[in-house]
Amino acid sequence: MSTIASSPAIPRPRPYRRSLNSTLHTRFVHAALISLLIALNNAFWLGSNRGASAQLFVRNDSLILADLFWSWFPFGPAGIKALLFFISSLSIFFLQIATLKIGRWMTTSPFAVFRTIALSKTTVWTVFWYFWSAIFFTEVYVWSSPDLSWTIPGSHNAPEMLNEKPIFFRLYAQLLALTYAGVHLYLGNSSLIIPISKLPSTPSPEGNAQSTHPIRPVQIQLQQKLPGAVMRSAVCAGLVMVAAPFLNTLFFRRTLWHIHLTIAKIWSNLSRANARPTGIPPLGPTYLARCLFAGFLLALTWELTAILFSTYLSQEPTKAGLPLSNTSKDPNGTLLTGLRAKRDVVRTFAFWELAIIAQKHKDRRKTIFEDIERPTGPIWAQMSEAGLKILQEIDTRILGPAPKQPQPQADSTVTGLPHIVPEVQTQSIFQANPKPTVGESLVLSPLRHIGSSNQPWRPPIEETTKAVEMKLLEYARPPGADQVQSQSLIEQWTMSLQKSPIGWFFTSTKTARINVAVLGSPNDDAALIVDVIDSITKMLVASLTEDTYGKATPTVPETVRQFTKTLTTIEAFVAKNDISKSGGIEEVEIITERLRAGLKELLAAFQLYLLDVGLGIADLNQAKKAVEPPKSEPQQPKPVEQPTRRQLFAKDTQKEDTNPQRAQQRQESRRIEPSQRSSGLQRKPSTSRNARQQPRREMEQVR
């Protein structure tokens, strides 16, 4: 029995996100270990009442040394408390992983940023995880401090009372958590900010090529960010401490007291004297200072956790100096899945890796050019298509979506056969409706029209609302003002709001519109765009010497066209908005410079092959024109004032007249005046002698 041998199925490449997640998990572990040291620091200062600061007055030196040793030794009570404090940092790590984004918030106005943040799930998760972190930190601190127990033990003449000190500290920690949730959203601590570098002035050799992202070492970044973190922690903790006693006394004291009393009654026998709080809260300056110090450590824990996460995870996608996809059995296929990914984090790191390959790894470039036997086509053609799609998105954001071309429809008219018999006249077999009376025409007809209409509120109700709106506009118009134009009430209120002192919060600036159109929204894609431009340019230039089969050259014409279109579109959009004086578009200018440099490099490298590979002369001329730097507008020269002849017997009013039109009329009259006063005398061609006699003749005529 013969069997047909079926061709083996091509295995799917490993997704790029798996390689990326593996690397990010390793970096997350490094950041978590450092945050564990921060938790051990919190355990040393807050976790034990037998710390060094509490035993300064103990005379036994051996007890002091023992307490100092066990207050920081990790394999003991301090280590257990450090693990409990570490859960607060771990909560913030979970939040940052769940809401991880690339780039800064990018919207047209501050109100748009507020609306985007307030109506997103990120805000809910941020508030939840900060509340949970504060709750866990508070309970560990309360559990470690004997004077912060739920109740105050009574004596033979005093009943057991509810302790109000931990109630206040829990409120203070929650207010601090709410404050830092807003700081987290405002600063974008869940976003990886990948900086982009300007174009180098001099080209660098391949081995020392300048990276598109100037990432500094982790130690240097931590040293630079630490002072700002300490300052923000101190300021936030201090401001919340100022407001917490007032909020507690005015709003939350009784409610929190009843909640704690209900929980404390489970294991304590409290008397009716604890039914409600009485007197002034027992919060002395010493206890408030303790709360302030604990709040400062909590805020510093949140700050350092966010800094560690963003610093470690924003490193370049390499492992032991090699691209991440090298660990896969199909490196090119794995990298292609990352370039086509929908999630911005995976796609940004994939193009960053492609830019690194184009700059530093010659062997890997050759494997990409030689990978041409895939069912979907050469691998480089697919990578180039994925990169040019990013640039096409910029054109779409600026120019809008391209109009859809109408599809040709087949002629659906059917020509029938000629009629042999004339058509039968169709007549209604029902009796005609009787003529309505006057009452029916006045009442039933409008009701029948409203009931049978798809939109019964139009037009009667719409006309009524328009009339009411016009009346409101008349009342809102100040006395003596012109007639109100054809603007709706909402539009006029919006214009007045934008002109008010708080209008900056709702106003969209030209700089913001340019950044949103070019970089994208709600998060900017500046790092992604720069990597696309640099990787495609470097790969195509390297294909001249490294592409054995010449499969990369056919992608050059489409690349040149797309670079040209994107460059001219961005420059025209920026020139249209005219923000040369205000600035604020540094990243857009970097993208424009890299587009121009990349296009110039491609034209110089493929100048002998562009027409042969399918680039038209018109496209080539347009590309050469786009490469030229924009010329600055020439300054118009100031008009030179012509010297006016001083005329005898001129009036003072004429001398003082500075109107240019009158001056021009006087000059013309002066040119005509001598000929009119000559009384028919014809002048001969001017000579040097006549020129000297001319003023004398005019004086004689005047006399």
Side-chain angles (χ1 to χ4, degrees):
M1 183 177 180
S2 62
T3 58
I4 301 176
S6 60
S7 58
I10 300 177
R12 298 183 60 182
R14 182 187 182 188
Y16 184 79
R17 58 181 176 83
R18 292 188 180 180
S19 303
L20 180 62
N21 289 340
S22 177
T23 303
L24 295 183
H25 287 167
T26 303
R27 298 174 182 176
F28 168 75
V29 170
H30 294 165
L33 290 176
I34 298 179
S35 64
L36 188 59
L37 296 178
I38 299 172
L40 184 62
N41 175 72
N42 296 337
F44 173 78
W45 292 106
L46 304 176
S48 177
N49 65 323
R50 296 188 305 271
S53 60
Q55 295 294 330
L56 293 177
F57 301 100
V58 178
R59 297 181 179 179
N60 194 342
D61 296 339
S62 61
L63 292 178
I64 295 177
L65 295 176
D67 288 337
L68 281 174
F69 176 77
W70 290 109
S71 63
W72 64 266
F73 188 64
F75 301 102
I80 297 175
K81 294 172 184 177
L83 291 176
L84 296 176
F85 279 119
F86 174 68
I87 296 178
S88 298
S89 300
L90 204 60
S91 302
I92 306 303
F93 280 136
F94 290 159
L95 167 65
Q96 292 180 302
I97 292 174
T99 60
L100 184 61
K101 296 290 183 181
I102 296 289
R104 301 180 181 87
W105 288 107
M106 192 64 61
T107 53
T108 55
S109 65
F111 175 73
V113 177
F114 174 77
R115 182 181 58 188
T116 303
I117 295 176
L119 301 179
S120 63
K121 295 181 180 179
T122 304
T123 303
V124 179
W125 284 113
T126 302
V127 175
F128 169 77
W129 282 111
Y130 268 96
F131 274 168
W132 171 253
S133 177
I135 289 172
F136 217 93
F137 185 93
T138 303
E139 297 308 318
V140 175
Y141 175 57
V142 170
W143 169 66
S144 303
S145 303
D147 61 331
L148 297 181
S149 60
W150 282 74
T151 59
I152 300 175
S155 59
H156 62 279
N157 58 353
E160 189 177 7
M161 297 293 294
L162 191 66
N163 192 0
E164 195 170 359
K165 289 184 178 180
I167 299 177
F168 173 78
F169 183 74
R170 290 187 178 96
L171 174 62
Y172 171 65
Q174 294 304 315
L175 292 176
L176 188 61
L178 184 62
T179 303
Y180 248 90
V183 173
H184 181 100
L185 294 172
Y186 178 77
L187 297 179
N189 289 338
S190 293
S191 300
L192 298 182
I193 309 300
I194 303 176
I196 58 177
S197 61
K198 293 184 178 180
L199 195 68
S201 56
T202 56
S204 304
E206 180 182 352
N208 300 323
Q210 182 181 2
S211 175
T212 54
H213 308 292
I215 302 296
R216 297 181 179 179
V218 175
Q219 294 80 3
I220 297 178
Q221 293 190 48
L222 293 179
Q223 292 175 2
Q224 293 176 349
K225 296 178 181 179
L226 184 59
V230 174
M231 181 63 66
R232 284 192 298 270
S233 303
V235 170
C236 290
L239 292 177
V240 175
M241 176 54 67
V242 172
F246 299 98
L247 295 176
N248 176 54
T249 306
L250 298 176
F251 302 104
F252 301 106
R253 185 184 183 191
R254 180 167 297 184
T255 302
L256 295 177
W257 179 277
H258 287 300
I259 294 174
H260 283 73
L261 181 63
T262 303
I263 299 174
K265 282 183 177 181
I266 299 176
W267 62 81
S268 300
N269 186 15
L270 299 175
S271 62
R272 293 184 179 180
N274 295 279
R276 64 184 62 184
T278 57
I280 301 175
L283 307 174
T286 305
Y287 179 71
L288 292 179
R290 284 180 55 190
C291 293
L292 177 61
F293 181 67
F296 167 73
L297 292 180
L298 176 58
L300 186 62
T301 300
W302 291 335
E303 282 282 352
L304 296 179
T305 301
I307 290 175
L308 288 171
F309 182 86
S310 60
T311 303
Y312 272 95
L313 268 68
S314 61
Q315 299 300 307
E316 62 180 14
T318 56
K319 186 176 182 181
L322 298 176
L324 296 181
S325 56
N326 278 16
T327 58
S328 175
K329 296 181 180 179
D330 184 7
N332 297 334
T334 298
L335 181 58
L336 182 60
T337 60
L339 301 179
R340 291 178 172 177
K342 296 182 179 179
R343 193 179 178 190
D344 56 348
V345 177
V346 179
R347 187 173 55 174
T348 301
F349 276 96
F351 274 105
W352 192 357
E353 179 177 335
L354 182 60
I356 293 173
I357 293 172
Q359 293 172 356
K360 303 177 182 179
H361 300 278
K362 182 177 180 180
D363 296 336
R364 184 65 189 277
R365 291 197 300 265
K366 288 184 177 180
T367 59
I368 292 176
F369 292 137
E370 294 174 358
D371 195 349
I372 60 175
E373 296 181 353
R374 293 179 181 264
T376 54
I379 195 70
W380 169 245
Q382 301 178 58
M383 291 181 177
S384 176
E385 180 183 359
L388 296 180
K389 187 178 179 181
I390 304 299
L391 301 182
Q392 293 172 4
E393 293 177 358
I394 301 177
D395 302 339
T396 304
R397 288 194 295 265
I398 297 177
L399 304 175
K404 297 182 179 179
Q405 298 180 357
Q407 299 180 356
Q409 299 180 356
D411 190 5
S412 59
T413 57
V414 179
T415 57
L417 297 174
H419 293 282
I420 301 176
V421 180
E423 295 182 357
V424 180
Q425 296 180 359
T426 58
Q427 297 180 355
S428 177
I429 61 176
F430 299 100
Q431 185 178 2
N433 294 329
K435 186 177 181 180
T437 61
V438 178
E440 292 178 351
S441 60
L442 293 177
V443 179
L444 296 180
S445 296
L447 294 178
R448 189 181 297 109
H449 173 72
I450 294 174
S452 60
S453 176
N454 294 330
Q455 297 178 341
W457 58 87
R458 300 179 64 185
I461 297 179
E462 185 179 10
E463 294 177 354
T464 305
T465 55
K466 286 184 178 180
V468 172
E469 185 178 4
M470 293 302 298
K471 289 294 183 182
L472 290 174
L473 289 174
E474 292 178 2
Y475 283 115
R477 186 175 70 251
D482 297 336
Q483 186 67 23
V484 180
Q485 301 296 330
S486 58
Q487 293 180 350
S488 65
L489 187 63
I490 298 177
E491 292 178 355
Q492 291 194 6
W493 285 349
T494 303
M495 293 177 60
S496 61
L497 181 63
Q498 291 179 353
K499 296 178 181 179
S500 63
I502 61 173
W504 62 270
F505 187 72
F506 304 93
T507 304
S508 175
T509 62
K510 294 181 179 181
T511 301
R513 286 196 294 268
I514 291 175
N515 288 328
V516 168
V518 178
L519 305 179
S521 179
N523 294 84
D524 69 276
D525 296 330
L528 174 64
I529 297 171
V530 168
D531 286 331
V532 167
I533 299 171
D534 192 75
S535 60
I536 293 179
T537 303
K538 294 292 191 298
M539 290 291 290
L540 288 178
V541 173
S543 67
L544 290 173
T545 56
E546 299 172 4
D547 185 10
T548 307
Y549 305 102
K551 295 296 183 180
T553 306
T555 62
V556 175
E558 184 62 27
T559 303
V560 171
R561 294 190 193 97
Q562 188 58 51
F563 276 29
T564 304
K565 181 180 179 181
T566 305
L567 178 59
T568 54
T569 302
I570 295 176
E571 288 184 340
F573 186 67
V574 172
K576 179 181 177 182
N577 287 273
D578 189 17
I579 60 166
S580 56
K581 297 181 180 180
S582 59
I585 55 170
E586 290 78 11
E587 294 181 341
V588 177
E589 293 175 351
I590 291 175
I591 291 174
T592 305
E593 292 175 0
R594 287 192 171 272
L595 272 173
R596 181 176 289 107
L599 184 59
K600 184 177 181 180
E601 192 173 356
L602 290 177
L603 294 179
F606 291 91
Q607 58 181 349
L608 301 178
Y609 315 102
L610 289 175
L611 298 179
D612 297 336
V613 296
L615 185 67
I617 298 179
D619 296 333
L620 180 59
N621 293 334
Q622 188 176 6
K624 291 181 179 179
K625 184 178 179 181
V627 165
E628 298 177 358
K631 299 179 181 179
S632 58
E633 297 182 357
Q635 297 182 357
Q636 297 181 357
K638 296 182 179 180
V640 180
E641 297 181 358
Q642 298 180 358
T644 58
R645 294 176 55 189
R646 189 172 181 179
Q647 192 174 3
L648 293 175
F649 308 105
K651 296 182 180 180
D652 296 338
T653 56
Q654 294 179 356
K655 296 179 181 179
E656 295 176 356
D657 193 0
T658 58
N659 192 346
Q661 295 181 357
R662 293 182 180 178
Q664 185 176 3
Q665 293 176 0
R666 289 199 304 269
Q667 291 177 4
E668 293 178 356
S669 63
R670 291 167 185 168
R671 298 191 190 101
I672 301 173
E673 190 176 3
S675 61
Q676 293 178 350
R677 297 177 180 178
S678 60
S679 64
L681 296 176
Q682 296 181 357
R683 297 185 177 182
K684 296 181 180 181
S686 60
T687 60
S688 59
R689 183 177 181 181
N690 293 337
R692 289 193 299 269
Q693 295 177 356
Q694 183 66 25
R696 184 180 300 175
R697 292 177 182 177
E698 291 181 358
M699 293 292 294
E700 293 176 356
Q701 293 175 2
V702 171
R703 295 175 183 173

